[in-house]
Amino acid sequence: MFEKLLQDLYGAVIRENRWQLYLEGLKNTLLIAGIACLIGILIGLVVALVKFVAAARPSPLWKAAAKVMNAYTTIIRGTPIIVQLLILYNLSYFTEGLYASIIGFGINSGAYVSEIFRSGLNSIDIGQQEAGRSLGLSLGQTMKLIVLPQAVKNTLPALFNEFIALLKETSVAGYIAVRDLTKVADGIRGRTFNSTPLYLAAVVYLIMVVGLAALQKRIERRLARSDRG
Amino acid sequence: MIEVKNLEKTFGELKVLRGITETINDGEKVAIIGPSGSGKSTFLRCLNLLERPTGGEIWFNGQNIAAKGCDIDSVRRHMGMVFQHFNLFPHLTIRDNITLAPINLKLYTPAQAKEKADALLERIGLSDKADTYPAMLSGGQKQRVAIVRALAMNPQVMLFDEPTSALDPEMVGEVLDVIREVAEEGMTMVIVTHEMGFAREVAGRVLFMDEGLIVEQNTPDQLFGNPQNERLQSFLSKVL
């Protein structure tokens, strides 16, 4: 029994230097998740701010911008990520699946992150904005110095949820021929004829998610300094 | 200093301010009283354009700040405001609450701003709280900090929007003491309040508002002692 396990592990990891394949897959997974996460935050922030300002300043230009943003979130949240990836991949600009998936996951995540930021912004009492403005700060300064720092703190749990989901979701990147961790593990499974590579992949995902959760706890604890009454 | 001409404000169908004309002179302390829903808070919030008037003019230092194209941010630097619910910034320390605007508006260097903040905190007896967060303060302490936060901008006028209405009764006194002190230094002040005793003591002039209009105004002694308007009489009989 124990010998069989060792043998399977040997076949899944060491034979033919297969561990290098996992590393390559892991690198792609992290690359997609990491860059897509940054793109998502950037898009999410812009979309949420546009919607927020449009609600406060009812000019036609802002209203139109908010409409565009709404269409974006509706379309992205209303269609499956795999379909989005396939469409992007088949646009001829993205012959490389890796680039298509980075862009695709970034755009996808942006829609969810924007909703997280929007609810975070709305959770801040309007009095905070009024206090900032009454001191002579501009709307931009008030957002940057007063509203956003508080909103980000409120959104942290939901934001980390999204990042964790994003990290795991990248496992469908194999659909567009990206050699991510899942794709690689599945490929090795085809050579070893057992599921050990998949278990290994699962463990690696799990470790990353547990790490992210630990990071979340640490950041939340640091930001909680101002809460203690 | 502030000249209001035929000020109107409507929310949808609701006419909250129905043509107010009023002048607030340099150094004057004006209290605004009236039943809830009479528009007194809206009037005050129109003075620094937290509410956009739907009609009329507001002249401050020779410019109509209700006009389109007026740089309201620079006008607001000269108008301090104190809110009913304090509105301290919970993510910043007490000192940073006070220095945030002066530093970011380049009024002072960070070192000057800190010095000024510490002097202000000393004045209200909260020096030991400088590095703590608002959540650790009582309501009265928060409101005192909110007052000096506005003072740190060296405003020409202070607007108080029911500054003691959200306080526990035993904390009202300490906040009124600070406001009284500011008044004694000659600050121009407009105070919306339910503290009739305080209005009587500090204000040079009291305005009584009802249904979006100033229906009576006078010196406190005259207004409280010899009210003419029927609605003012019935209001005073309920609150005094």
Side-chain angles (χ1 to χ4, degrees):
Chain A
M1 161 83 188
F2 187 63
E3 217 158 87
K4 165 93 169 51
L5 185 70
L6 278 182
Q7 221 171 6
D8 284 351
L9 277 175
Y10 179 79
V13 183
I14 297 172
R15 188 177 297 150
E16 294 171 14
N17 277 340
R18 284 177 181 151
W19 55 272
Q20 289 178 339
L21 297 177
Y22 292 104
L23 279 186
E24 188 207 332
L26 180 63
K27 190 191 86 190
N28 284 338
T29 291
L30 287 175
L31 211 59
I32 299 171
I35 302 180
C37 167
L38 293 181
I39 298 175
I41 290 178
L42 214 68
I43 296 179
L45 198 59
V46 170
V47 172
L49 282 174
V50 167
K51 286 187 186 179
F52 189 78
V53 173
R57 281 195 184 161
S59 78
L61 200 69
W62 282 108
K63 278 230 169 89
K67 277 226 171 82
V68 173
M69 300 305 165
N70 274 329
Y72 160 71
T73 42
T74 305
I75 292 169
I76 296 299
R77 295 202 303 165
T79 55
I81 176 73
I82 295 179
V83 176
Q84 292 167 14
L85 287 177
L86 286 170
I87 290 174
L88 260 181
Y89 187 46
N90 284 293
L91 294 174
S92 48
Y93 324 108
F94 296 113
T95 46
E96 181 75 50
L98 185 65
Y99 299 139
S101 57
I102 287 174
I103 303 288
F105 278 108
I107 293 175
N108 182 270
S109 183
Y112 292 93
V113 171
S114 77
E115 285 298 289
I116 293 171
F117 280 150
R118 195 177 60 88
S119 72
L121 288 173
N122 289 340
S123 74
I124 306 304
D125 183 63
I126 183 77
Q128 290 291 308
Q129 227 190 104
E130 291 182 349
R133 298 305 302 277
S134 78
L135 288 164
L137 297 171
S138 67
L139 179 60
Q141 286 173 315
T142 303
M143 295 303 291
K144 191 182 95 188
L145 300 167
I146 296 165
V147 179
L148 276 175
Q150 297 181 57
V152 165
K153 184 170 142 185
N154 285 359
T155 56
L156 222 55
L159 216 49
F160 265 91
N161 247 346
E162 164 61 21
F163 297 154
I164 287 170
L166 172 66
L167 178 69
K168 292 182 298 176
E169 249 175 35
T170 57
S171 62
V172 302
Y175 260 91
I176 55 172
V178 177
R179 294 176 54 74
D180 75 314
L181 183 59
T182 304
K183 183 81 170 176
V184 164
D186 196 43
I188 296 172
R189 182 192 55 82
R191 313 272 294 272
T192 61
F193 302 108
N194 63 42
S195 298
T196 312
L198 296 180
Y199 284 113
L200 285 175
V203 168
V204 174
Y205 280 113
L206 189 62
I207 289 172
M208 289 192 290
V209 169
V210 169
L212 270 178
L215 179 68
Q216 172 185 1
K217 260 219 178 98
R218 262 183 74 165
I219 297 179
E220 279 178 15
R221 222 182 353 234
R222 270 193 67 174
L223 291 181
R225 269 184 317 186
S226 58
D227 292 339
R228 265 171 254 144
Chain B
M1 172 174 276
I2 305 178
E3 220 179 321
V4 179
K5 289 180 187 164
N6 205 22
L7 183 68
E8 286 177 22
K9 174 71 185 177
T10 51
F11 292 104
E13 294 288 288
L14 190 68
K15 272 204 151 186
V16 181
L17 299 179
R18 307 195 290 178
I20 292 183
T21 299
E22 187 55 62
T23 302
I24 289 148
N25 294 312
D26 221 343
E28 216 183 359
K29 290 109 185 71
V30 177
I32 305 175
I33 61 170
S36 55
S38 59
K40 51 192 192 304
S41 275
T42 305
F43 173 57
L44 190 78
R45 289 162 56 83
C46 276
L47 293 182
N48 68 350
L49 260 58
L50 280 185
E51 302 291 352
R52 282 250 160 214
T54 40
E57 297 172 1
I58 300 167
W59 289 82
F60 177 69
N61 286 345
Q63 67 172 323
N64 179 10
I65 61 173
K68 274 212 163 80
C70 164
D71 177 12
I72 187 58
D73 293 332
S74 69
V75 173
R76 284 193 184 122
R77 290 180 204 183
H78 306 296
M79 299 177 139
M81 182 151 199
V82 175
F83 299 86
Q84 182 177 356
H85 295 287
F86 331 131
N87 297 350
L88 292 185
F89 308 130
H91 63 301
L92 298 178
T93 63
I94 297 306
R95 185 187 288 118
D96 290 346
N97 260 275
I98 300 171
T99 59
L100 180 79
I103 290 177
N104 281 284
L105 295 171
K106 309 245 176 342
L107 223 64
Y108 300 113
T109 65
Q112 287 172 328
K114 178 179 177 293
E115 202 176 307
K116 172 126 186 159
D118 288 347
L120 285 165
L121 284 173
E122 165 120 43
R123 193 174 131 183
I124 55 171
L126 291 178
S127 294
D128 56 324
K129 304 286 186 190
D131 294 308
T132 63
Y133 289 90
M136 300 168 205
L137 267 55
S138 72
Q141 291 173 329
K142 280 183 200 169
Q143 193 63 302
R144 281 145 63 196
V145 171
I147 293 170
V148 295
R149 178 176 71 178
L151 287 177
M153 291 293 295
N154 289 331
Q156 295 170 14
V157 53
M158 287 281 285
L159 310 174
F160 294 87
D161 190 3
E162 302 194 21
T164 58
S165 296
L167 294 175
D168 288 339
E170 79 262 29
M171 293 172 181
V172 170
E174 61 187 75
V175 171
L176 293 184
D177 284 344
V178 175
I179 300 176
R180 191 177 291 121
E181 238 177 73
V182 176
E184 281 163 6
E185 285 162 15
M187 178 69 72
T188 311
M189 307 203 302
V190 184
I191 312 171
V192 170
T193 185
H194 292 295
E195 299 285 331
M196 297 304 152
F198 183 70
R200 191 168 198 158
E201 171 200 350
V202 171
R205 188 154 60 99
V206 182
L207 313 180
F208 173 68
M209 281 186 68
D210 193 33
E211 293 182 0
L213 288 170
I214 297 172
V215 292
E216 186 166 340
Q217 60 166 297
N218 216 325
T219 60
D221 283 343
Q222 280 299 312
L223 189 116
F224 290 112
N226 186 17
Q228 303 297 312
N229 185 285
E230 206 177 299
R231 278 176 294 180
L232 174 57
Q233 286 165 359
S234 93
F235 175 74
L236 289 178
S237 71
K238 279 176 213 150
V239 297
L240 287 182

